[in-house]
Amino acid sequence: MHILDEEPTHFGEPAGSTAMDASRRGTYIPAMQPVGIGPLRALLRSSRQALASALGAASPRLASAWRARREREARRRELVRFGAAYAQAREGGGLRPDIAPRAVHHELTSRCNLSCGMCYQADWRAASPRLELDVEALREIHARLAPRRAVLVGSEVMLHPRFFEIAEELARDGCELHLLTNGTLIDEARAPRLLALRALRAVILSIDGPREVHDTIRGGKAAFDRAIRGIDLLRGRVELALHCVLQQANLASAHEVLDIAHAHGVRSVHYGFLYAYTAAEIEATHALLERELGWKRDEVELAIATGDGLGFGADELRACIERIEARARELGLQASFTPPEFREHLEAYVEGTLHVGRRLACRDLLEPDDLRIDPRGKLVPCAVIKKDLGDARSCDPAELANSSERRAFAKLVHEQNLLPICRRCCRATVLPEG
């Protein structure tokens, strides 16, 4: 899986919000909610899902309008929340010391069974071919953190030799699970074990186009057919969504992912924007981190794809998005884009000038109660900037979230209007002026 945190929308959630955003707003977590509150929230979520399904069946256009209204309201609330957090980050502030991290992104392994051309982790994976989170280390981490949610990510998460042991242990602890995968390893033997995880809330699978396009992009023979097998084995039993990266190879066919979703009973497709950076932007980022934070180059791994550009223009991308939106309306499906601001500023995204004349922020750093743990058990700033910020097995949760090093990093990122390699990231957001 090559995405960062680009989790697609939950069923019944507004397009443009993510599965993790939905969780932050109060997704049902059986073992953690007070008695009476969890079931009520589950009922409300089921009601939203039923309403979305009914609207989609009765009038696809009405369903799209309803989702758009919910998206605008969710975005308004998000900006209010981010505004206060942004000011705090610029001042070098952290979380309140009484708030422990609520969610953990676990990078279980550095291995992958595909070779996607656009993968931002390819070079990093070649340098670190087999890093895998130790199960005993995970037990120690969760004993200290006791998070409410765990997002399991890879490279390809299901390649971890003890994947099911990890997932089953997290589920027993009452931790809500989200799984991001390319889907190729979900077969007749593994699907029942996944479905037996009562705490599994969502599975997000990568589909980048019809069979020929997908297999070409993913660099794996029969990758499409194996991913579709996984979808069909899970459909109707757990929330599913598809993820598609918009790139030169699929701009002409990305809207067909919606037809694939419709044919296989998936109601939500999430489209992510490609991020690739020049050698100059990577060099500028290293220089900033070393000059301002004292982070030496041999201490910081940047998991990022290098290129001379995106390979397409804003007009091509706009036409692709318009086809996606039109097809989503026709089918009554949910198509979302992350970050939604790129949809609004296509020229600036393509040209790499989003930071010019706009106030940018990092979503992850504005909500620092969501930690990312790499395969070594170390806290890292994000999926791309892999700097050891502390051992998650031995540090206090509040200390991890509020460490002076992490606060200094957040301050620098926002003082710089995002680092050079952050300005096409899926976690970037545009804040209102003021």
Side-chain angles (χ1 to χ4, degrees):
M1 193 70 178
H2 65 280
I3 62 178
L4 300 182
D5 298 331
E6 303 175 58
E7 297 163 64
T9 51
H10 263 13
F11 297 139
E13 294 296 336
S17 65
T18 65
M20 185 55 71
D21 293 331
S23 296
R24 287 177 178 132
R25 290 194 294 272
T27 303
Y28 174 39
I29 306 169
M32 303 301 292
Q33 298 285 0
V35 175
I37 299 297
L40 177 59
R41 284 176 171 165
L43 178 61
L44 290 173
R45 186 175 68 173
S46 297
S47 298
R48 288 197 304 267
Q49 294 171 7
L51 177 58
S53 296
L55 283 173
S59 171
R61 292 185 181 276
L62 181 60
S64 295
W66 178 74
R67 289 176 182 132
R69 183 173 66 81
R70 286 177 56 81
E71 177 182 359
R72 289 192 296 271
E73 178 58 23
R75 177 62 177 157
R76 184 192 65 77
R77 293 195 303 268
E78 180 182 65
L79 289 175
V80 169
R81 185 174 74 250
F82 281 173
Y86 176 83
Q88 189 176 28
R90 284 291 299 262
E91 294 170 2
L95 286 174
R96 293 204 323 262
D98 59 322
I99 297 181
R102 295 180 297 174
V104 178
H105 276 65
H106 280 299
E107 298 179 1
L108 296 188
T109 178
S110 63
R111 292 192 297 148
C112 190
N113 59 335
L114 298 180
S115 55
C116 308
M118 73 294 191
C119 181
Y120 72 94
Q121 295 195 49
D123 292 342
W124 170 75
R125 186 182 303 121
S128 306
R130 185 158 184 158
L131 292 175
E132 287 173 339
L133 184 63
D134 181 73
V135 176
E136 285 66 37
L138 181 132
R139 292 192 182 107
E140 294 174 20
I141 291 168
H142 278 254
R144 287 183 168 273
L145 298 180
R148 299 193 309 185
R149 296 180 303 278
V151 183
L152 304 182
V153 297
S155 300
E156 174 44 49
V157 62
M158 294 186 69
L159 276 177
H160 193 292
R162 299 173 72 180
F163 167 76
F164 282 104
E165 183 179 348
I166 289 172
E168 289 161 0
E169 181 149 335
L170 293 175
R172 281 195 300 272
D173 290 342
C175 192
E176 179 184 90
L177 300 179
H178 295 252
L179 173 62
L180 281 67
T181 174
N182 62 40
T184 59
L185 300 179
I186 302 175
D187 56 18
E188 288 77 5
R190 295 183 180 97
R193 295 190 70 180
L194 279 177
L195 295 172
L197 298 169
R198 295 186 59 190
L200 184 63
R201 289 291 176 267
V203 179
I204 299 95
L205 303 99
S206 298
I207 295 290
D208 287 315
R211 178 180 290 103
E212 295 78 8
V213 172
H214 180 85
D215 285 352
T216 298
I217 289 173
R218 294 277 157 179
K221 186 177 181 181
F224 179 87
D225 290 337
R226 287 183 286 160
I228 292 298
R229 176 193 62 192
I231 293 169
D232 289 340
L233 288 169
L234 299 181
R235 63 186 291 185
R237 306 285 299 280
V238 66
E239 292 186 11
L240 298 178
L242 303 186
H243 180 270
C244 173
V245 179
L246 297 177
Q247 54 196 289
Q248 180 63 53
N250 69 0
L251 289 187
S253 60
H255 61 286
E256 295 181 38
V257 176
L258 289 157
D259 295 284
I260 295 166
H262 187 260
H264 295 275
V266 180
R267 297 195 297 110
S268 178
V269 178
H270 167 71
Y271 290 91
F273 291 94
L274 180 67
Y275 30 89
Y277 295 93
T278 65
E281 289 169 323
I282 295 172
E283 170 62 26
T285 298
H286 268 303
L288 263 173
L289 293 174
E290 185 167 2
R291 183 177 70 246
E292 301 297 330
L293 300 179
W295 291 5
K296 304 297 184 183
R297 292 171 190 247
D298 59 357
E299 299 176 336
V300 184
E301 297 175 281
L302 298 182
I304 197 74
T306 306
D308 295 327
L310 298 177
F312 52 83
D315 290 342
E316 294 175 85
L317 182 58
R318 183 177 295 104
C320 170
I321 290 173
E322 288 172 354
R323 288 191 294 270
I324 289 169
E325 292 173 334
R327 192 60 180 145
R329 287 191 296 270
E330 292 169 4
L331 296 174
L333 298 184
Q334 188 168 5
S336 59
F337 300 89
T338 296
E341 293 88 347
F342 289 3
R343 168 68 181 94
E344 301 161 12
H345 304 288
L346 291 181
E347 286 82 3
Y349 157 70
V350 170
E351 295 167 4
T353 58
L354 197 68
H355 61 294
V356 178
R358 300 176 185 86
R359 190 169 58 139
L360 305 185
C362 170
R363 293 169 185 266
D364 283 350
L365 295 176
L366 294 185
E367 297 187 306
D369 58 338
D370 184 352
L371 302 182
R372 191 172 194 100
I373 310 296
D374 77 1
R376 297 164 293 194
K378 307 294 186 179
L379 173 69
V380 292
C382 65
V384 169
I385 301 175
K386 296 185 181 296
K387 166 67 168 66
D388 178 1
L389 297 180
D391 192 331
R393 295 169 294 184
S394 57
C395 296
D396 178 82
E399 291 177 0
L400 285 174
N402 289 290
S403 70
S404 59
E405 190 172 26
R406 195 173 190 228
R407 292 200 308 271
F409 174 73
K411 187 173 187 290
L412 174 65
V413 167
H414 292 109
E415 283 177 343
Q416 296 294 321
N417 212 19
L418 299 190
L419 303 179
I421 65 165
C422 300
R423 293 166 183 162
R424 285 196 181 111
C425 178
C426 64
R427 304 307 293 162
T429 189
V430 179
L431 298 178
E433 292 301 321

